[in-house]
């Protein structure tokens, strides 16, 4: 096969990680030349002119579908330039309903291929991409990450110091700070109910990498509760600490303390008994690891779901791989007991729908094959 060139452009954390850490080395191993522009939710390294030059050199462009619209500006610009130059391009729809995001609607008719999560997403995408004959199921790069976790359950619990009689609850944050705050406050409030007084729970909150705020934003649910709660972000952990300073009031002496030793949500999940989230795509990773999930949804989050995921209802709840509470924190407490003690319905659906990958590199090889087939037609 003649040498091919591909340009990869993604702003958000998900497409950035997929492109830089999974697809770039896989394309190179297959003999492709690769130029990658990613931002990990912060800012894309490389100017728009550099992206356009890369598109000029490339045979094909693979683009992320970032959210919200302002984050997708470079992906959109790259697609528009590809159209202008007659270069084929397509999208990596990394999560539920991503292919339906309205800010990409004007680019659908010229997209030559679309990479999606599963067959259900492929079938739904056909309504929005009637001119795209190459809609390919490749899964998600995090499916593979969850299929081969860095730590075993016993290893990560030992590193965290979680006792055998403690229930570990992981809470991945939302890109929306208000939604994250409601979620974390809800979990802490639920665990302070009397039904939990004789149960030992430990909560670890991992902020969304794209929320762009300090961990101090989430301090109050950690400082003003008796439930063991901590934040982990960027290799650091933030816990309830006490400053011995006579110039401070008693309340002021209780502060968020930064320590080394934080872990990512991917590292934590294998050791958890439960994940509580609000429209987080980590639902899929939890499903592969057979960790029960509770989705805390509100009217705000459901309305936000429409442009982001293509529908009000949260797809993992519809699929049965997560339980839902609609803004009811008392119900959240009951569901937490249900999911961690006597009800295996979520786990059964997880096993049925998300078997995981069998081999490392399976996701990336699937993407490379999809683009090679595109040129062989």
């Amino acid at each position: 096969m003649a040498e091919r060139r591909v340009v990869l452009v993604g702003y958000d954390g998900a497409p950035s990680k997929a492109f830089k850490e999974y697809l770039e080395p896989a394309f190179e191993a297959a003999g492709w030349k690769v130029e990658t522009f990613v931002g990990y939710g912060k800012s894309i390294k490389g100017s728009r002119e550099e992206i356009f030059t890369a598109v000029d050199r490339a045979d094909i462009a693979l683009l992320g579908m970032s959210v919200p619209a302002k984050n997708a500006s470079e992906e959109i610009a790259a697609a528009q330039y590809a159209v202008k130059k007659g270069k084929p391009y397509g999208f990596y729809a990394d999560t539920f309903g991503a292919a339906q995001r309205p800010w990409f609607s004007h680019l659908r008719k010229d997209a030559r291929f679309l990479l999606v999560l599963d067959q259900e997403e492929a079938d739904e995408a056909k309504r929005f991409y009637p001119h795209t004959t190459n809609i390919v199921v490749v899964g998600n790069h995090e499916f593979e990450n969850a299929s081969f976790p860095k730590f075993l359950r016993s290893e990560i619990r030992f590193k965290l110091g979680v006792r055998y009689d403690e229930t570990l609850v992981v809470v991945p944050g939302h890109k929306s700070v208000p939604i994250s705050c409601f979620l974390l406050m809800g979990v802490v409030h639920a665990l302070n109910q009397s039904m939990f007084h004789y149960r030992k729970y430990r909560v670890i909150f991992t902020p969304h990498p794209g929320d762009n705020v300090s961990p101090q934003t989430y301090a109050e649910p950690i400082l003003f509760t008796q439930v063991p709660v901590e934040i982990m972000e960027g290799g650091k952990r933030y816990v309830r600490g006490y400053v011995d300073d006579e110039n401070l009031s008693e309340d002021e002496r209780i502060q968020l303390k930064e320590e080394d030793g934080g872990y990512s949500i991917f590292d934590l999940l294998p050791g958890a008994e439960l994940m509580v989230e609000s429209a987080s795509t980590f639902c899929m990773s939890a499903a592969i690891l057979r960790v029960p999930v509770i989705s805390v949804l509100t009217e705000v989050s459901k309305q936000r779901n429409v442009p982001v995921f293509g529908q009000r209802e949260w797809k993992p709840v519809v699929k049965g791989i997560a339980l839902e509470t609609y803004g009811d924190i008392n119900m959240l407490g009951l569901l937490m007991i249900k999911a961690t003690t006597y009800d295996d319905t979520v786990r059964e659906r997880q096993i049925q729908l998300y078997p995981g990958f069998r081999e490392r590199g399976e996701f990336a090889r699937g993407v490379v094959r999809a683009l090679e087939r595109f040129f062989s037609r």
Side-chain angles (χ1 to χ4, degrees), residues 257-276:
K257 180 183 177 183
E258 179 185 300
E259 299 177 348
D260 291 330
Y263 294 91
S264 72
I265 183 66
F266 306 106
D267 296 335
L268 297 170
L269 265 175
E273 277 84 12
L274 180 66
M275 185 175 86
V276 183

Side-chain angles (χ1 to χ4, degrees), residues 3-8 32-37 46-61 81-82 85-88 375:
E3 182 181 87
R4 298 287 187 186
R5 284 181 173 269
V6 60
V7 58
L8 311 173
W32 291 58
K33 294 293 184 182
V34 188
E35 293 188 79
T36 307
F37 299 87
S47 67
R48 184 167 294 185
E49 289 70 27
E50 289 174 310
I51 294 173
F52 288 170
T53 299
V55 172
D56 279 328
R57 287 194 289 259
D59 297 293
I60 196 165
Y81 188 76
K85 293 294 184 175
K87 296 293 182 79
F375 284 111

Side-chain angles (χ1 to χ4, degrees), residues 265-332:
I265 183 66
F266 306 106
D267 296 335
L268 297 170
L269 265 175
E273 277 84 12
L274 180 66
M275 185 175 86
V276 183
E277 56 83 49
S278 185
S280 165
T281 52
F282 291 122
C283 281
M284 297 175 287
S285 297
I288 291 171
L289 288 162
R290 316 305 179 219
V291 176
V293 177
I294 299 173
S295 299
V296 179
L297 303 174
T298 64
E299 185 60 26
V300 172
S301 62
K302 285 198 172 190
Q303 289 204 25
R304 195 179 186 280
N305 280 351
V306 176
V308 177
F309 300 113
Q311 62 180 55
R312 271 178 57 88
E313 301 308 317
W314 180 221
K315 188 67 73 69
V317 172
V318 176
K319 287 175 173 284
I321 63 169
L323 301 173
E324 175 187 355
T325 176
Y326 182 57
D328 187 337
I329 302 307
N330 293 323
M331 177 58 70
L332 172 60

Side-chain angles (χ1 to χ4, degrees), residues 166-339:
E166 286 183 307
T167 297
L168 178 60
V169 181
V170 293
V171 183
H174 197 283
K175 187 179 287 188
S176 164
V177 176
I179 291 175
S180 284
C181 289
F182 180 84
L183 173 65
L184 182 56
M185 291 283 282
V187 171
V188 171
H189 177 79
L191 290 176
N192 273 287
Q193 295 178 88
S194 59
M195 71 178 94
F196 290 100
H197 287 179
Y198 300 100
R199 301 170 187 266
K200 296 180 181 179
Y201 280 79
R202 183 163 164 190
V203 178
I204 299 178
F205 173 71
T206 59
H208 191 287
D211 67 5
N212 295 318
V213 297
S214 163
Q216 290 288 341
T217 305
Y218 306 108
E220 290 195 359
I222 288 88
L223 301 182
F224 302 108
T225 179
Q226 299 307 307
V227 177
V229 187
E230 59 187 291
I231 299 171
M232 290 195 178
E233 181 181 53
K236 301 290 185 179
R237 62 196 303 172
Y238 300 85
V239 299
R240 191 174 190 263
Y242 188 83
V243 178
D244 188 11
D245 186 343
E246 61 182 17
N247 296 316
L248 299 176
S249 69
E250 192 64 27
D251 285 346
E252 290 174 328
R253 295 182 190 187
I254 302 172
Q255 297 182 11
L256 201 62
K257 180 183 177 183
E258 179 185 300
E259 299 177 348
D260 291 330
Y263 294 91
S264 72
I265 183 66
F266 306 106
D267 296 335
L268 297 170
L269 265 175
E273 277 84 12
L274 180 66
M275 185 175 86
V276 183
E277 56 83 49
S278 185
S280 165
T281 52
F282 291 122
C283 281
M284 297 175 287
S285 297
I288 291 171
L289 288 162
R290 316 305 179 219
V291 176
V293 177
I294 299 173
S295 299
V296 179
L297 303 174
T298 64
E299 185 60 26
V300 172
S301 62
K302 285 198 172 190
Q303 289 204 25
R304 195 179 186 280
N305 280 351
V306 176
V308 177
F309 300 113
Q311 62 180 55
R312 271 178 57 88
E313 301 308 317
W314 180 221
K315 188 67 73 69
V317 172
V318 176
K319 287 175 173 284
I321 63 169
L323 301 173
E324 175 187 355
T325 176
Y326 182 57
D328 187 337
I329 302 307
N330 293 323
M331 177 58 70
L332 172 60
L334 294 173
L335 289 178
M336 291 174 77
I337 292 175
K338 175 181 179 180

Side-chain angles (χ1 to χ4, degrees), residues 125-146:
K126 291 174 184 176
R127 296 189 293 119
F128 297 90
Y129 294 78
H131 305 295
T132 304
T133 56
N134 299 289
I135 299 178
V136 185
V137 176
V138 296
N140 176 289
H141 58 288
E142 298 301 358
F143 290 9
E144 184 173 319
N145 202 15

Side-chain angles (χ1 to χ4, degrees), residues 95-97 99-100 116-128 135 137 311 314-316 318-320 349 353-354:
T95 190
F96 305 108
Q100 303 174 36
V116 297
L117 285 180
D118 55 32
Q119 191 57 51
E120 184 178 337
E121 290 293 311
D123 293 340
E124 291 179 359
K126 291 174 184 176
R127 296 189 293 119
F128 297 90
I135 299 178
V137 176
Q311 62 180 55
W314 180 221
K315 188 67 73 69
V318 176
K319 287 175 173 284
R349 287 292 286 170
L353 297 179
Y354 290 90

